[in-house]
C-alpha cells in the first residue's frame, strides 16, 4: 500500500495522530536524559520523487500537520513537530524557570528538528529526494537558521516574515498589538490591558 495507508492517514483529514520521537533533553551534553518530541505526519500529497517538507515548530501547540498547496506542488510528505515547552510538550514534566533557562533555546529547537529529520529520512520516508523546511514569523526565522546550521541535512528553507534580528524589550511590538486590538473596537484593547496589568 501507499505510505499514507501505512500511517493510517485519511485523504479526507489534513492531520494524523501524534507520534513521538525520543530526543536528548540537551543535545550538546555528552550524556543525559531524553524526552519525547511530539510530531505529526501527513503523507497525503507524497509521491515518488517528492520531498520531505518540515514545518518548523512555533510558539504554541501543534495540533496536526496540514498539507496544502506547497506540499502538493512539491509532492511532499509533511512533518510538523511541537516546540519544546509549548503546548503539552514539557520535557520531563519540568516547567521551572531553571529548566526553561537551560533547555529552551533556539539551538535546542533546531537540534530537535534535526533529529526528527534524520528519523523521518531513515525510517519514514527514505524515498524523499530532498528536505525543505518552512515556517512564518519565529518559525520562519527558525527555517533560515535551520538551513544555515544544518546545510547537509536541509536542502532549502522557506522563511516567511522571519524576525531575524532579536530586539530586547521591543516596545513597538506592544504598540502594534494595541493598535490591532483597538480596531475596529477599542474595548478589546482595554480588556487586554486589564488582563495584562
Amino acid at each position: 500500500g501507499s505510505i499514507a495507508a501505512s500511517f493510517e492517514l485519511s485523504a479526507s483529514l489534513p492531520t494524523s495522530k501524534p507520534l513521538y520521537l525520543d530526543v536528548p533533553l540537551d543535545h550538546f551534553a555528552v550524556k543525559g536524559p531524553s524526552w519525547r518530541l511530539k510530531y505529526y505526519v501527513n503523507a497525503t500529497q507524497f509521491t515518488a520523487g517528492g520531498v520531505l517538507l518540515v514545518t518548523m515548530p512555533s510558539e504554541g501547540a501543534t495540533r496536526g500537520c496540514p498539507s496544502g498547496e506547497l506540499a502538493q506542488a512539491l509532492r511532499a510528505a509533511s512533518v510538523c513537530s511541537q516546540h519544546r515547552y509549548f503546548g503539552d510538550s514539557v520535557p520531563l514534566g519540568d516547567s521551572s524557570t531553571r529548566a526553561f533557562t537551560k533547555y529552551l533555546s533556539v539551538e535546542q529547537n533546531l537540534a530537535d528538528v534535526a533529529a526528527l529529520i534524520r528519523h523521518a529520512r531513515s525510517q519514514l520516508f527514505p524515498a524523499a529526494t530532498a528536505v525543505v523546511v518552512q515556517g512564518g514569523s519565529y518559525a520562519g526565522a527558525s527555517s533560515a537558521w535551520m538551513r544555515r546550521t544544518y546545510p547537509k541535512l536541509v536542502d532549502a528553507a522557506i522563511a516567511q516574515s522571519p524576525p531575524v534580528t532579536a530586539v530586547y524589550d521591543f516596545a513597538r511590538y506592544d504598540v502594534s498589538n494595541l493598535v490591532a486590538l483597538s480596531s475596529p473596537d477599542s474595548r478589546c484593547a482595554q480588556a487586554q490591558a486589564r488582563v495584562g496589568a
Side-chain angles (χ1 to χ4, degrees), residues 58-106:
S58 61
E59 320 86 321
T62 301
R63 293 184 176 88
C65 195
S67 183
E69 291 178 16
L70 181 59
Q72 184 177 11
L74 297 174
R75 300 179 319 203
S78 299
V79 177
C80 306
S81 63
Q82 184 165 273
H83 200 299
R84 55 173 63 204
Y85 296 106
F86 287 93
D88 56 359
S89 291
V90 181
L92 309 179
D94 184 358
S95 60
S96 67
T97 302
R98 182 185 158 284
F100 284 2
T101 303
K102 189 169 183 180
Y103 303 117
L104 177 59
S105 69
V106 169

Side-chain angles (χ1 to χ4, degrees), residues 182-196:
S182 295
S183 177
D185 186 341
S186 65
R187 290 178 295 172
C188 183
Q190 292 164 359
Q192 181 66 29
R194 283 192 304 275
V195 170

Side-chain angles (χ1 to χ4, degrees), residues 21-197:
L21 177 67
D22 288 333
V23 297
L25 179 60
D26 184 349
H27 289 274
F28 309 104
V30 176
K31 63 180 182 176
S34 63
W35 72 285
R36 297 179 70 207
L37 175 67
K38 182 179 186 177
Y39 69 99
Y40 294 84
V41 172
N42 186 328
T44 57
Q45 304 293 336
F46 188 67
T47 61
V51 305
L52 182 62
L53 178 62
V54 178
T55 298
M56 295 298 292
S58 61
E59 320 86 321
T62 301
R63 293 184 176 88
C65 195
S67 183
E69 291 178 16
L70 181 59
Q72 184 177 11
L74 297 174
R75 300 179 319 203
S78 299
V79 177
C80 306
S81 63
Q82 184 165 273
H83 200 299
R84 55 173 63 204
Y85 296 106
F86 287 93
D88 56 359
S89 291
V90 181
L92 309 179
D94 184 358
S95 60
S96 67
T97 302
R98 182 185 158 284
F100 284 2
T101 303
K102 189 169 183 180
Y103 303 117
L104 177 59
S105 69
V106 169
E107 294 80 10
Q108 295 291 353
N109 175 44
L110 298 181
D112 287 344
V113 174
L116 179 57
I117 290 170
R118 288 184 193 101
H119 171 73
R121 295 261 357 227
S122 67
Q123 302 297 313
L124 306 177
F125 301 102
T129 58
V131 174
V132 176
V133 295
Q134 67 97 22
S137 192
Y138 166 68
S142 295
S143 297
W145 297 327
M146 190 74 192
R147 171 72 174 118
R148 186 186 66 201
T149 306
Y150 296 95
K152 292 182 180 179
L153 194 60
V154 175
D155 299 292
I158 300 170
Q160 302 155 351
S161 301
V164 293
T165 303
V167 178
Y168 182 74
D169 199 17
F170 189 24
R172 287 184 303 170
Y173 179 78
D174 296 331
V175 170
S176 70
N177 283 340
L178 180 62
V179 169
L181 289 170
S182 295
S183 177
D185 186 341
S186 65
R187 290 178 295 172
C188 183
Q190 292 164 359
Q192 181 66 29
R194 283 192 304 275
V195 170

